[in-house]
Amino acid sequence: MTEKRLNDESENSDNSVKRVDHFAKGVAPIKPEYLVTQNDNESASVIDDYNDDEAEGGDRQEEAPAASGKGRKRKGQNKNRDLRQQHEDVRLCSSLVDPDSGRVCQFGPAGCRNCHDIDEYFSHKQEDIEGTCPVFSAIGYCPSGLKCRWLGSHYNKETKKLVKDLERQEQARGVNVEVNKISTESKLLLQKKKYTFELANKYIPYLDSLVQNDENIAKQKEREELAKDNAASYVEAPFKVSEKKRLHLKNAKIVSPLTTVGNLPYRRLMKTLGADVTYSEMALALPLLQATNAEWALPKAHKSEYPGFGVQIATSKHWAAAKAAEVIYRETTDVSEINLNCGCPIDLLYRQGQGSALMEQPARLVRILKGMNACSGDIPVTFKVRLGTKDGHNNAKQLVSRVLAENTVAAITLHGRTRQQRYTKEADWNYISEVAQIVNNYNQGQEDSTGAKDSHEAVPTQFVGNGDIYNFEDWHNATSLPGVDSVMVARGALIKPWIFEEVEAQQYLDKSATERLAQLEQFSKFAIEHWGSDEYGVGLARRFMCEFISFTHRYIPVGIMERLPAKLNQRPPMWKGRNELETLLGSKDYRDWIKITEMFLGKASKNFSFTPKHKSNSN
């Protein structure tokens, strides 16, 4: 097809407007018939640029980072978003959620601040959402009881009793469940600082002795002797890497750890779409040790995620890493690996010495990994790192070599950008390949030293690449590189959740708008099962569904593309879909995102609030 340029200019005309060249560098090539024109003389401008740091930083970020290293602020970001969801105006007392439960309010009707009159509560409660309650459909009963927004599907108005499907409850038992919930007793012990860290308390003194502090230890010989003494005091030998659970990452379809959007419902959806390995959202070690509810919500997973579920933590202290690894080992049941985040670029973590800041302190990083490996029981330890922190100063090769020499990790993931680059440049897969070769050479040396390929001592350290995997060609090109066992997919799996289906089919799949909408419907059901079917749970489900759509709306349908593939750094001009639904799914206006959620979660209440991450989506 002849390339038709859309940026012809007529300099002598007062009505002339510069047009967009849909074959220009950085512009996605969309077929002319799907481009939106505002009038005969003007074509729509390219859709605003995206800032993808939220995929890693989420709402932990408190200020705009210096993307150029010179204090330049992010453009168009809605900072300090208030995403708290309000409760109902009239709240029913929890003792009356299930009238047949026999629960009694400890405060009594007179002393309780919540409503004890069911009829009054019903008079203020929002109208039921049409259809069947997703939670009732999944497990045969609804824990939200009378507060459920789909109450009509499991409530007998004549008998005023909740309906329960005993057969469905039995079928769901042990299958459709969430795992890795810390016990109330253990949480209280952590909060009171009375939790017994049997492994960490013995190993931390040894790690302390490795800290090079000239004020306390003046001579290298004294330091070495002290380290030996502390090592000898650690009587229980930690698990070797070869003695821990085995990771199966070779050609595995891996979803990268993602903050905010990488929640349990999203990961569960990805498992239905072919993912083999998923990771929790990044959890901070110190809040885990303080037993904060928000942090302990992160290691939770759906039963379908295991095996193949990893918990990612961030910390800058070896003692916190050791204790966090031990408490995860002791308090969770379905964790395949504990991953240390050494690549998160956000300022909030970097200033605290966490995330990518660990790349600038190799000794500290090694100590942290040693502590995690010694205290994580049979759960293997892995870590994720970037090329470096500054452009032109990549140090991942040296860092990986040093970690390999310690033989403490089961797998290494390398993101092919520096902290300074963020997402402004394409991932450097040449450098990733070079690091993969270092890991490959190390594995070969380990195998040769044991003298037996199948020896338990010769468990290879696996290597995973990360960066710019958006289609099946990217995936297969990356996994074909020597030493690369697999790749992590981040934005590619957010924008196009069926990417692993394409990997299996080895072709581009032109998903219809109806098929894409069905995936969002499935996400909404998983979200309601996770957050609950009451007004508050529906509000959370709606909020995170909007966060999800903030990525899925960026997908450009295969059928309207002039040529394939479209790269992640290519921005499309304003376009229309092949039908109204496809156009709606591609809308960048957050109000349209809310409309999509209303198809499955009912009309948004007056209490619901959502602020998009970028001002360009607020129009």
Side-chain angles (χ1 to χ4, degrees), residues 35-89:
L35 293 173
V36 175
T37 55
Q38 297 171 347
N39 55 54
D40 292 337
N41 297 317
E42 182 179 0
S43 66
S45 61
V46 173
I47 287 180
D48 304 86
D49 197 13
Y50 303 110
N51 193 309
D52 285 322
D53 290 331
E54 67 258 28
E56 294 185 89
D59 297 306
R60 291 189 184 277
Q61 194 153 348
E62 63 181 12
E63 65 181 48
S68 67
K70 298 181 180 180
R72 187 178 67 190
K73 294 183 178 180
R74 282 187 188 173
K75 296 180 180 179
Q77 184 184 28
N78 284 319
K79 296 181 289 184
N80 300 321
R81 300 190 299 158
D82 185 1
L83 297 169
R84 293 171 295 181
Q85 299 302 318
Q86 297 182 12
H87 291 273
E88 297 169 295
D89 294 331

Side-chain angles (χ1 to χ4, degrees), residues 128-135 149-150 513-528 532-533 537-538 541-542 545-546 548-549 581 584-585 592-604:
D128 278 359
I129 300 173
E130 294 183 4
T132 304
C133 170
V135 181
R149 289 296 314 282
W150 289 266
T514 303
E515 290 176 300
R516 292 168 58 200
L517 190 67
Q519 292 177 357
L520 291 174
E521 179 181 17
Q522 187 66 71
F523 174 87
S524 72
K525 291 179 178 179
F526 290 159
I528 292 297
S533 59
V538 171
R542 196 186 307 277
M545 193 171 178
C546 286
F548 186 24
I549 298 173
L581 180 57
L584 178 65
L585 291 175
D592 287 331
W593 306 348
I594 294 177
K595 289 180 183 177
I596 295 171
T597 71
E598 290 179 335
M599 296 180 185
F600 314 112
L601 301 177
K603 186 172 178 59

